[in-house]
Amino acid sequence: MAASLRASSSLRSRFLSSSSGCSPWRLLLSSPVHSDASHQTETLAFDEIQLSPEKPPTATAFVLHGLLGSGRNWRSFSRALVSELHNRSPSDEWRMVLVDLRNHGRSAGIKGFGPPHSISTAAKDLADLVKARGWPWPDVVLGHSMGGKVALDFAESCSRGVYGDSADLPKQLWVLDSVPGQVETDNSDGEVEWVLQTLASLPSSLPSRKWVVDHMLSLGFSKSLSEWIGSNLKKDNDHVTWAFDLQAAIDMFSSYRERDYWALLEHPPKDLEIAIVQAESSDRWVPDDVQRLKALAKRESKPDVGKVSLHVLPNSGHWVHVDNPKGLLEIMVPNFLSAVQN
């Protein structure tokens, strides 16, 4: 039991989401829309956060959550980021687009996101969203954990012309506590798998949120983690079901572990900066990967090659925007400003 409790505490750092409180900023909730393609399909669900939504934005950042999360996990941090950016540079009107990736959040209820459920298809969904809405391509893409690899795939595909000639490469990627290479089984403690296996062992239709929370507690999960798991349920007549597509999320986790983006970091496209944030107390990193990133960050800059930077976030575990949001803002804000000023 003690081992289970310790494991559940660590799991909380991976999956626990922050609650969104009241805010003076206006949150623009958007419903899925239809594209004008020959086979009409719905796009991803998303929220928009902008300090003055009546003004046209001068820059846009996409914010991508991690496994089993949703865009709402990042509302509080995104509000703070928009506010701080405005304080530093009032002439810039930043817009944050908080995306629910396929099979997660409100996007889990949208038909049309068929297999394969992978990092690459999740990245293509972003391109489809931009095209369907008629938006400018994002200046910055920020991704946490699994979302970090989606961001890397999005930039790589833009640079290779996968999304067509109209696609513009982002100026910056922010990859937050996400290892860019393959996640080897020997380097994993298996806790994420344990969460997924636990959820998969439950029936698809469940008696109530309280029943789920009590069941998770009985397995040794912490109260906070059990309640967070319970918050990912939706009403289904007299029962409740998961708000995410669990099997598809498992497929995405497998893709996350398998995909390797070291080649992109070794040869980043011109005018792209890839900023990696390593949480100081995160258990995701092995020394060889950290040393490799340090070497890439120290390379002499060349006019025809992009840039890689490495930032260590102190006093933080994997859930960076919850553990040390102030420190994360201090790292990110000056670099966000440089993205639109260069």
Side-chain angles (χ1 to χ4, degrees):
M1 176 62 73
S4 296
L5 289 172
R6 287 194 299 270
S8 66
S9 176
S10 178
L11 283 168
R12 177 177 179 271
S13 70
R14 296 190 180 203
F15 291 110
L16 186 61
S17 66
S18 62
S19 61
S20 57
C22 296
S23 169
W25 296 276
R26 179 178 172 188
L27 177 66
L28 303 177
L29 300 179
S30 176
S31 300
V33 298
H34 293 274
S35 71
D36 295 326
S38 56
H39 297 285
Q40 202 172 50
T41 57
E42 291 181 290
T43 64
L44 297 169
F46 62 91
D47 295 338
E48 294 177 274
I49 293 178
Q50 190 177 331
L51 192 61
S52 302
E54 70 280 1
K55 298 179 180 179
T58 59
T60 296
F62 278 13
V63 182
L64 313 179
H65 60 80
L67 184 71
L68 301 186
S70 67
R72 71 179 184 180
N73 302 150
W74 283 84
R75 285 181 185 174
S76 295
F77 181 83
S78 296
R79 290 185 182 111
L81 179 57
V82 166
S83 179
E84 188 61 27
L85 288 168
H86 178 77
N87 291 340
R88 300 279 190 98
S89 182
S91 62
D92 293 328
E93 185 64 37
W94 276 92
R95 177 181 64 135
M96 303 291 154
V97 179
L98 283 57
V99 178
D100 286 353
L101 298 174
R102 62 165 53 213
N103 310 310
H104 290 75
R106 289 169 295 147
S107 293
I110 300 174
K111 298 184 183 299
F113 294 112
H117 299 296
S118 66
I119 297 300
S120 291
T121 54
K124 183 179 180 297
D125 294 339
L126 301 177
D128 291 341
L129 175 62
V130 172
K131 294 175 181 179
R133 301 293 296 191
W135 287 341
W137 292 80
D139 301 278
V140 177
V141 181
L142 179 164
H144 174 243
S145 196
M146 181 185 73
K149 280 197 170 178
V150 175
L152 289 166
D153 198 288
F154 179 79
E156 182 180 66
S157 296
C158 282
S159 69
R160 293 192 290 109
V162 173
Y163 304 144
D165 294 338
S166 65
D168 293 329
L169 188 70
K171 298 180 178 69
Q172 286 184 347
L173 297 184
W174 283 89
V175 182
L176 307 181
D177 211 50
S178 181
V179 176
Q182 292 183 341
V183 179
E184 303 291 344
T185 303
D186 292 344
N187 295 331
S188 171
D189 54 19
E191 289 180 341
V192 177
E193 292 89 335
W194 181 48
V195 169
L196 295 173
Q197 289 168 3
T198 299
L199 300 186
S201 70
L202 298 175
S204 58
S205 183
L206 300 159
S208 67
R209 179 180 181 276
K210 182 179 184 303
W211 184 92
V212 172
V213 172
D214 290 344
H215 179 71
M216 301 304 293
L217 287 169
S218 72
L219 296 177
F221 290 92
S222 68
K223 181 179 179 181
S224 55
L225 176 59
S226 299
E227 290 178 345
W228 179 78
I229 290 173
S231 72
N232 284 289
L233 293 162
K234 60 183 179 180
K235 195 72 174 173
D236 183 18
N237 295 320
D238 295 333
H239 295 77
V240 293
T241 60
W242 296 116
F244 47 76
D245 184 328
L246 181 58
Q247 183 54 56
I250 291 171
D251 293 344
M252 292 180 72
F253 177 64
S254 296
S255 176
Y256 162 79
R257 289 181 52 166
E258 294 166 1
R259 290 305 308 268
D260 187 321
Y261 297 94
W262 280 113
L264 178 65
L265 271 69
E266 294 281 355
H267 305 284
K270 181 182 177 182
D271 299 326
L272 172 66
E273 178 182 1
I274 304 175
I276 309 290
V277 175
Q278 175 197 359
E280 183 181 46
S281 302
S282 173
D283 59 358
R284 302 300 177 93
W285 300 88
V286 296
D288 287 349
D289 287 343
V290 175
Q291 291 304 316
R292 190 172 180 181
L293 284 172
K294 287 180 177 179
L296 290 174
K298 292 179 180 177
R299 286 190 308 189
E300 183 179 352
S301 61
K302 298 180 180 179
D304 58 340
V305 179
K307 176 184 176 183
V308 174
S309 59
L310 176 63
H311 311 266
V312 177
L313 179 64
N315 306 315
S316 178
H318 179 63
W319 210 259
V320 290
H321 61 302
V322 175
D323 291 347
N324 188 2
K326 182 179 178 181
L328 188 57
L329 287 171
E330 289 173 351
I331 290 172
M332 296 180 69
V333 168
N335 292 282
F336 260 70
L337 295 176
S338 68
V340 295
Q341 292 169 353
N342 291 342

